[in-house]
Structure formats: C-alpha cells, structure tokens
Amino acid sequence: MARVRTVRSLGVVGLVLVTAVTAGCSGSSSGPPAASHASSGSGSGSATTAGAGAAPAPTESNPPGDIPDNQAYVAFRPSGGAFTVKVPEGWARTGQGGATVFTDKLNRVEIATASASSAPTVTSVGSEVVPRLRGQVPKFDGPKVSQVNRHAGSAVLLKYQGDSAADPVTGKVVRDAFEWYAFYRQGHEVDLTLSGPVNADNVDPWRIVTDSFSWK
C-alpha cells in the first residue's frame, strides 16, 4: 500500500514538472512576436516621417520664346544671292512676298532684299521705314534707330515693339520685340528682321545671326 502511494506521489510530481515546463516554454515563445510588433511599428513611423519631409522635384522650363543655348545654326544663301547668313537649324522656312522667313514657336527671322541707290542712314530709316512699319505693325511703339557695327561692316539698326498676329487656333496675341537691320553694298540692300516675345532673352542668338551676315 505504501508503494502505491509512492508511485502516485511520483506521478503527481512529474505532472507538476511537465506543466511548469510547458508554461515556461509558452511564456518565452510569446515574447519575440511582441518585440517584433513593436519594432515594426517603430519602422513604420520613421518611414512616414521621412516621406512627409521630402520636397518634390522642381519643374524647370525656359521663359516663353527663349531660344535654347544649344541651338545649332546653318548657313542660308538665296539662289543667286550675293550674301550668306546663318539661321537657326530646324526652323520652318516659308516665302512671304519676296522675303524668306524662318519661324519656330514664337520666334521669327525674316530676310528681304532690295535694290537701293544709296545706303540707308539713321535719318532715312527714321523718316521712311518707321512710318511704314507704324502702319503695318499692330500697336507699333518705341522705335529707336542707331548705327551699329557687325562683322560685315556698318548697318542701321531699328528696335521697336508690336503685337504679333493672333494665333489661328487660340486667338492669343503676343507682345513682340523687333530688331530690324539694314546692310548695304553696291546698290544691294538686305534687311534682317528678328522678332520674339518681349520677355525672351535672345540677345546672344540674334547676335549670332547678325554677326554671321557676310557679302559674297
């Protein structure tokens, strides 16, 4: 009878030990998931903060009418012409009333030739050309006439402003700045008219064109 009690006591002790070990294992296995969850929550908060502080990339664009700095130029010489001049490569070419016109978006280069008995002067341009343009260019304003030097020699320069023709699709009118150059040699006159929006910075491109003019 005492042996039976001993066996039962040992069974009870074993059961207690098994229960304690099981509880310990269960408690230790529940720790890592809790720690993992806390770590995940911390990472999520950090990522959200970094995303909110990042600034969007700025949008870059040239002002309307600005000719790119990397614009290429090609030589133009009219059939049987006595001169050459560089014009922007890739621009659309058309003929208008005996003149050759190159256009791209809001910019324009017009080349016209004429026979003349004498070279144009600041005085003659002011008294003859300015009144003519005033009647042709909408809202013609601010004419300034001067004598300038280019690689081909002396030329008369007329600067003025005026409205462009209305866009056939949108009807929009652009305020343009004009540079009109008159080159002369031995009875031949060549007029270069360069135009683009008044806020465009095309000083260098227009200088490239007018400095490239040469007699042949």
Side-chain angles (χ1 to χ4, degrees):
M1 193 68 170
R3 186 176 180 181
V4 173
R5 288 178 180 175
T6 302
V7 172
R8 289 179 178 176
S9 298
L10 291 174
V12 172
V13 171
L15 181 59
V16 171
L17 291 174
V18 170
T19 303
V21 171
T22 303
C25 292
S26 176
S28 63
S29 62
S30 65
S36 175
H37 178 75
S39 175
S40 174
S42 175
S44 175
S46 176
T48 303
T49 302
T59 301
E60 297 182 3
S61 62
N62 288 330
D66 262 19
I67 299 173
D69 293 337
N70 61 353
Q71 172 67 56
Y73 298 82
V74 294
F76 165 74
R77 183 177 183 180
S79 178
F83 68 91
T84 62
V85 62
K86 287 184 178 180
V87 296
E89 184 178 26
W91 286 22
R93 174 180 170 178
T94 58
Q96 296 182 7
T100 303
V101 179
F102 297 88
T103 56
D104 180 69
K105 299 181 179 68
L106 301 177
N107 294 300
R108 189 173 187 270
V109 175
E110 179 179 324
I111 306 168
T113 60
S115 297
S117 58
S118 60
T121 64
V122 171
T123 301
S124 66
V125 170
S127 61
E128 300 171 12
V129 178
V130 169
R132 185 180 78 238
L133 292 176
R134 194 182 299 277
Q136 296 174 347
V137 180
K139 297 184 180 180
F140 178 90
D141 189 34
K144 295 180 180 179
V145 188
S146 61
Q147 195 87 19
V148 296
N149 289 317
R150 291 295 185 265
H151 287 171
S154 179
V156 178
L157 167 61
L158 167 61
K159 291 185 176 183
Y160 59 95
Q161 291 186 7
D163 283 357
S164 69
D167 186 280
V169 177
T170 65
K172 183 178 180 180
V173 174
V174 177
R175 188 65 176 170
D176 281 339
F178 293 80
E179 292 185 5
W180 179 92
Y181 292 81
F183 295 89
Y184 178 85
R185 189 182 74 166
Q186 299 175 354
H188 299 282
E189 180 177 334
V190 178
D191 300 332
L192 300 182
T193 305
L194 319 172
S195 63
V198 293
N199 292 323
D201 182 10
N202 290 332
V203 174
D204 291 339
W206 290 160
R207 183 76 187 214
I208 290 173
V209 172
T210 56
D211 262 343
S212 73
F213 181 88
S214 62
W215 295 102
K216 298 299 180 183

